Amino acid sequence: MRAILIAGGFGLIGTLLGTPLAIRLLVRKGYGQLIRDDGPTSHHTKRGTPTMGGLVIIVSVVVAYALAKLITGSAPSASALLLLYLFVGLGLVGFLDDYIKVIKQRSLGLRSKAKLAGQALVALSFALLALRFPDGDGRTPISEGISFIRDIPGWTLPAAVIVVWVLVMIWGTSNAVNLTDGLDGLATGASVMVFGAYMLINLWQNNQSCAINPGAKCYDVRDPLDLAVVAAALTGACFGFLWWNASPAKIFMGDTGSLSLGGAMAGFAIMTRTEVLLLVLGGLFVIITLSVILQVGWFKMSGGKRLFRMAPLQHHFELMGWAEITIVVRFWIISGLFVALGLGIFYSEWVSGL
């Protein structure tokens, strides 16, 4: 428990104090956000706002976790290190995307195939590594089953299929957070709630772990307590960054932040055996992603008609005349309701014993 408090505290302090330093450095370098011409016209006032703020989140989380381990004298676990590898690796892919946008003045950054290839490289290597490193009871960081709140009986699959499943989850979740990161503080605030939920889930799984309390209701998860430390560091870091990212944003996280945070969410879902539950916990991200899929699909099927004024969904409400801060707060409320529902489902499954 002490390590969780230390990681959360240092994660918060790292971004709260480190972000203004990053803002000054990025402004001095001229690393400002480019605004797409086909986006809402109200966003043009944001042109030049420093981007790549996700670097501060990444550094803060890694340092917070390292300090928590150092201060408590505990060894890092394979699960936590692999999750941090996924988090940092996708952050590097996002950084390349942001860097190209800024240096080459190309608002789209990396070509879509190159970005997907970078995400795939990190995700596949994560999956292959996480199927190794069994603990003393034979548990590996990820399992060969599909899970809802725990592995679904009878859904054990070949390792090759699981690797592809992990790739799809990481692709989907990292890009979902990326699509959500379109308004000041929107993705950051929603991410705080999801990572806070996973901190609670990991704590509960540790208390009811099969290694500690064997029984029909125990959770067969490796290193849940150390995963809770990472979740605390992420929650604290996102909270601190939100102070500067809330409207009017002084800095944007960029793809550096959104891809890394989305990858971490997928990693938690896979490692805690709550893969399908992530669709509920991250319900806001799912809705926003579906709005893009429906918009593109209907546009092609109908010969050029649109379901929404603009996708992702948050921009539809902007064009309807809603104030940006109104959209963000209401979407945060929606995200909070989904997280509460997800935690309720998680706990009720344990209570009912189903």
Side-chain angles (χ1 to χ4, degrees):
M1 182 61 72
R2 196 159 64 100
I4 293 172
L5 295 174
I6 292 170
F10 277 112
L12 174 65
I13 293 169
T15 49
L16 200 58
L17 301 182
T19 303
L21 299 177
I23 292 172
R24 288 197 288 271
L25 176 62
L26 292 168
V27 168
R28 192 179 309 125
K29 294 282 187 180
Y31 291 171
Q33 177 71 39
L34 295 175
I35 304 298
R36 295 176 59 174
D37 294 330
D38 58 351
T41 55
S42 60
H43 287 204
H44 292 171
T45 58
K46 301 181 182 183
R47 189 183 303 273
T49 302
T51 188
M52 296 189 284
L55 284 172
V56 185
I57 298 176
I58 292 172
V59 171
S60 296
V61 169
V62 173
V63 170
Y65 176 78
L67 288 174
K69 296 282 97 179
L70 184 64
I71 292 171
T72 58
S74 56
S77 68
S79 299
L81 292 177
L82 284 167
L83 184 57
L84 289 173
Y85 165 76
L86 177 63
F87 173 63
V88 174
L90 289 175
L92 289 176
V93 175
F95 173 77
L96 288 175
D97 187 60
D98 289 332
Y99 189 77
I100 290 172
K101 290 176 186 176
V102 170
I103 298 302
K104 294 192 174 182
Q105 296 292 294
R106 191 171 77 209
S107 62
L108 294 177
L110 277 173
R111 304 297 181 190
S112 58
K113 289 184 179 179
K115 183 187 288 189
L116 288 173
Q119 291 171 286
L121 180 63
V122 175
L124 289 173
S125 58
F126 164 79
L128 291 170
L129 288 169
L131 284 168
R132 301 172 62 86
F133 305 108
D135 62 11
D137 296 318
R139 297 184 190 91
T140 52
I142 66 175
S143 72
E144 294 184 1
I146 303 297
S147 61
F148 176 36
I149 295 173
R150 57 186 86 227
D151 283 348
I152 302 171
W155 284 58
T156 301
L157 301 172
V161 178
I162 290 299
V163 168
V164 174
W165 168 244
V166 169
L167 170 62
V168 171
M169 280 200 64
I170 292 171
W171 257 343
T173 311
S174 59
N175 287 311
V177 177
N178 186 237
L179 290 171
T180 304
D181 185 32
L183 299 181
D184 295 353
L186 177 56
T188 311
S191 296
V192 166
M193 300 180 206
V194 175
F195 289 128
Y198 270 114
M199 181 176 64
L200 295 176
I201 286 172
N202 278 298
L203 278 170
W204 184 258
Q205 287 182 333
N206 178 70
N207 292 338
Q208 305 299 329
S209 170
C210 292
I212 300 174
N213 294 310
K217 294 184 179 182
C218 71
Y219 297 96
D220 197 24
V221 175
R222 176 169 178 177
D223 309 316
L225 189 59
D226 211 26
L227 288 174
V229 176
V230 180
L234 279 159
T235 304
C238 287
F239 255 127
F241 186 77
L242 184 60
W243 180 270
W244 305 101
N245 184 230
S247 183
K250 302 294 190 296
I251 189 170
F252 301 136
M253 71 166 72
D255 283 19
T256 308
S258 60
L259 294 185
S260 61
L261 293 179
M265 287 179 200
F268 275 116
I270 295 163
M271 289 182 161
T272 58
R273 319 298 197 251
T274 57
E275 293 160 351
V276 179
L277 186 65
L278 180 60
L279 293 174
V280 182
L281 293 170
L284 176 67
F285 302 110
V286 174
I287 290 172
I288 288 175
T289 303
L290 284 176
S291 73
V292 176
I293 294 171
L294 291 172
Q295 180 86 320
V296 173
W298 182 249
F299 186 85
K300 292 180 178 179
M301 290 172 57
S302 64
K305 295 181 180 179
R306 300 174 187 271
L307 280 175
F308 309 104
R309 296 188 182 187
M310 182 177 290
L313 188 61
Q314 61 267 31
H315 299 320
H316 168 78
F317 290 106
E318 277 191 288
L319 295 183
M320 285 181 61
W322 288 24
E324 179 176 359
I325 189 64
T326 301
I327 300 169
V328 170
V329 172
R330 287 178 178 173
F331 275 37
W332 281 351
I333 293 170
I334 292 170
S335 180
L337 290 172
F338 272 116
V339 167
L341 176 61
L343 288 173
I345 293 171
F346 176 82
Y347 182 67
S348 63
E349 185 271 347
W350 185 85
V351 171
S352 65
L354 298 177

